[in-house]
Amino acid sequence: MGKDFLMDTIIIEKIEKAIENKELKAFYQPQYDAITGRIVGAEALVRWIKDDGEVIMPDSFIPELEKTEAVNVLDWYMAEETCKTVSELRSQGVKISISSNFSRWHINEKCFVEKLTAIADRYQVPYKYLEVEITESALISESAKIIEWVKEIRKAGFSVAIDDFGSGLSSLQFVKDIPADVLKIDRSLLSSNCSSEKERIVLESIFYFAKRLNMQTIAEGVETQEQLGFLRTCSCNRIQGFLYARPMPKDKFFLCCLEKSNRLDAEDILSVQAPTSAAKLLMDAIFMRYPLVIFANLTRNSYYMMAYENFSTKSCPAAGVFDELIVHGAATMHPEDKAKFEATFNREALLKAYEEGRKSVSVVTRQLGDDGIYHEVESTDYFVKHASVDDVLVISLCDIKG
Ligand code: C2E
Ligand code: MG
Ligand code: MG
């Protein structure tokens, strides 16, 4: 019998005993909407509370536990507690998702998704209300496997969060390939007042990057008003930190969630939305309808492409020369539609349409998608005016019809 196996068995027994003796408790740290300040989620965090009332923090035993698969027993216990809590809150009219931490060992665990669904079903929790947190440091090895693992969890309907982003060595390159729903930005990236310009540039870029990948963002470890103020300017979605609340026992957490001031139905959400949030909502609606949006300056022969679902733009730069964009676009058209596309969207024709007082120009063509199939795409160019320049500007909205 190997030494590791013996160690494993001893630790598992210790943890099982602690669970049995109800010494392991799930605490909850609320997460707040960055704009409205309302509770919109929470994270379950373990506390080991000994008989004599001594509280042992996770940092004192999780790193040891995480050396082996023994930690899985704890994680499943916490996942079950989380489901119970989500379910009890729902029965009191509070519908929020709660995340639970899972160690890297689960990536190789057989039937992980089946276990998760079984627990959620036991407490009748809709899957999207359970969030699987996996720490960034677990992501640096076995990338192909992790991507598959995350895909499977999401396919089942659960949400996945990348925890502690920025604390380790994982590259943006890798994170972009993981189809996670949420990016949790580690507190090590935040100084107390976010005063350094370089720090702000890094953070702004991370939030922008997450937004473009359609990921929700949570800033962890927010302790000061200065941090909150800056995070709001980055369009951070949720705030988790001592500024608002520390991790707390379940009963206290329930009181926080049930407080009248936390009821979203108490106020009209639009009346408390800052203009930036309103603009974001509008963008969400636009991207729901139009998977590809292009801005162009016809006078200066330039464009900027915001492609959320990249249907035929894989090899096309995100910004560049407008004439080249049209050449690229024409190359992806069905041979019978190529001439129509070029005739409508070449710069000269668009400028002429603008001179004639047209508000928009629209055409339907068959365009080759990334899937290798021709799709019917309606492209509409709207002429728009910027207050400070005379240039002729265009916003192009492309809609896949079939
Ligand atoms: P984490 O998942 O990144 O959890 C966030 C940690 O940051 C928590 O520490 C929380 O108390 C702390 N925190 C939150 N806001 C602030 C703040 O404003 N300032 C400061 N200084 N800290 C803040 P905690 O509860 O001690 O947990 C430490 C770590 O232990 C967790 O980091 C997580 O990696 C691990 N952990 C906790 N529960 C579990 C579990 O059930 N399973 C596993 N595998 N790991 C767990
Ligand atoms: Mg966490
Ligand atoms: Mg974290």
Side-chain angles (χ1 to χ4, degrees):
M1 211 182 288
K3 187 167 158 272
D4 278 359
F5 178 78
L6 265 179
M7 278 297 290
D8 243 33
T9 319
I10 292 168
I11 297 174
I12 291 179
E13 277 173 7
K14 246 178 139 180
I15 283 295
E16 281 176 344
K17 194 130 205 89
I19 293 173
E20 209 178 289
N21 293 345
K22 300 200 178 348
E23 288 176 0
L24 291 189
K25 300 271 182 223
F27 272 40
Y28 298 90
Q29 186 174 28
Q31 295 162 347
Y32 297 80
D33 182 290
I35 303 294
T36 64
R38 304 287 168 83
I39 296 177
V40 284
E43 175 176 8
L45 293 155
V46 69
R47 296 290 180 266
W48 191 337
I49 303 179
K50 291 283 181 71
D51 259 358
D52 57 5
E54 183 196 0
V55 179
I56 305 180
M57 298 299 279
D59 281 343
S60 313
F61 62 95
I62 295 264
E64 187 57 32
L65 260 186
E66 276 188 330
K67 285 185 184 159
T68 72
E69 287 174 65
V71 70
N72 289 4
V73 178
L74 166 85
D75 290 345
W76 283 118
Y77 166 74
M78 289 294 288
E80 177 144 11
E81 290 297 300
T82 303
C83 274
K84 248 190 245 175
T85 300
V86 171
S87 171
E88 286 165 22
L89 278 173
R90 288 175 73 76
S91 67
Q92 300 198 42
V94 180
K95 293 179 180 159
I96 58 167
S97 61
I98 304 185
S99 64
S100 201
N101 293 280
F102 286 88
S103 85
R104 69 191 161 88
W105 294 100
H106 296 281
I107 295 162
N108 292 313
E109 190 176 11
K110 280 208 183 93
C111 306
F112 178 84
V113 173
E114 287 80 352
K115 274 188 176 175
L116 208 57
T117 36
I119 292 180
D121 289 346
R122 195 172 310 146
Y123 297 97
Q124 289 157 7
V125 168
Y127 300 160
K128 69 173 179 175
Y129 289 92
L130 189 58
E131 203 160 270
V132 172
E133 279 196 24
I134 176 94
T135 178
E136 185 205 53
S137 61
L139 304 179
I140 30 192
S141 58
E142 303 184 284
S143 53
K145 208 175 206 175
I146 293 162
I147 291 167
E148 276 318 300
W149 185 72
V150 170
K151 270 190 189 157
E152 237 189 275
I153 301 170
R154 290 194 66 223
K155 202 168 138 209
F158 299 97
S159 162
V160 177
I162 297 175
D163 198 4
D164 308 326
F165 178 75
S167 67
L169 298 168
S170 81
S171 67
L172 293 183
Q173 169 74 14
F174 181 41
V175 171
K176 95 171 180 356
D177 292 331
I178 298 186
D181 304 86
V182 178
L183 194 65
K184 297 190 76 178
I185 288 86
D186 194 65
R187 67 169 176 271
S188 61
L189 294 180
L190 292 174
S191 67
S192 64
N193 55 8
C194 296
S195 60
S196 128
E197 195 184 347
K198 278 192 181 159
E199 170 193 351
R200 289 205 302 262
I201 292 169
V202 169
L203 282 164
E204 277 165 6
S205 315
I206 292 173
F207 282 104
Y208 181 70
F209 152 92
K211 193 170 167 189
R212 290 299 310 273
L213 291 177
N214 267 347
M215 291 168 106
Q216 288 276 312
T217 45
I218 302 179
E220 292 187 289
V222 179
E223 294 182 350
T224 67
Q225 279 296 342
E226 287 84 355
Q227 291 172 335
L228 175 65
F230 173 66
L231 290 163
R232 281 179 168 157
T233 69
C234 298
S235 308
C236 172
N237 299 114
R238 284 189 247 165
I239 304 290
Q240 180 182 343
F242 295 171
L243 175 68
Y244 279 123
R246 288 177 180 255
M248 57 187 84
K250 185 167 163 178
D251 50 353
K252 195 169 165 215
F253 173 59
F254 269 54
L255 291 178
C256 284
C257 290
L258 292 166
E259 255 175 39
K260 183 136 179 34
S261 64
N262 193 50
R263 300 297 290 245
L264 277 170
D265 53 8
E267 240 175 295
D268 174 1
I269 186 84
L270 286 181
S271 66
V272 288
Q273 288 282 348
T276 46
S277 310
K280 189 192 168 297
L281 291 173
L282 184 62
M283 287 302 280
D284 287 350
I286 286 175
F287 281 114
M288 227 180 275
R289 180 80 169 76
Y290 304 101
L292 178 65
V293 178
I294 301 170
F295 294 77
N297 186 330
L298 297 178
T299 311
R300 289 168 199 254
N301 194 16
S302 64
Y303 74 90
Y304 164 61
M305 182 166 62
M306 295 180 89
Y308 271 48
E309 256 165 66
N310 220 339
F311 55 91
S312 61
T313 49
K314 239 181 192 162
S315 54
C316 194
V321 178
F322 182 79
D323 290 345
E324 288 171 13
L325 174 75
I326 298 307
V327 172
H328 178 92
T332 67
M333 295 298 148
H334 189 280
E336 289 169 17
D337 294 342
K338 197 166 178 285
K340 178 166 69 168
F341 177 82
E342 283 172 331
T344 314
F345 292 123
N346 76 73
R347 214 152 48 94
E348 225 171 88
L350 285 175
L351 284 166
K352 188 159 172 278
Y354 174 76
E355 305 279 300
E356 287 168 4
R358 301 269 297 274
K359 295 215 170 355
S360 66
V361 173
S362 186
V363 84
V364 177
T365 52
R366 283 157 292 173
Q367 195 168 353
L368 199 61
D370 287 344
D371 51 9
I373 299 168
Y374 281 107
H375 294 275
E376 205 169 77
V377 176
E378 182 173 42
S379 310
T380 307
D381 277 15
Y382 294 91
F383 298 108
V384 288
K385 192 81 199 80
H386 193 285
S388 56
V389 286
D390 288 333
D391 297 353
V392 181
L393 306 173
V394 146
I395 294 183
S396 181
L397 303 178
C398 304
D399 183 18
I400 302 180
K401 313 287 280 182

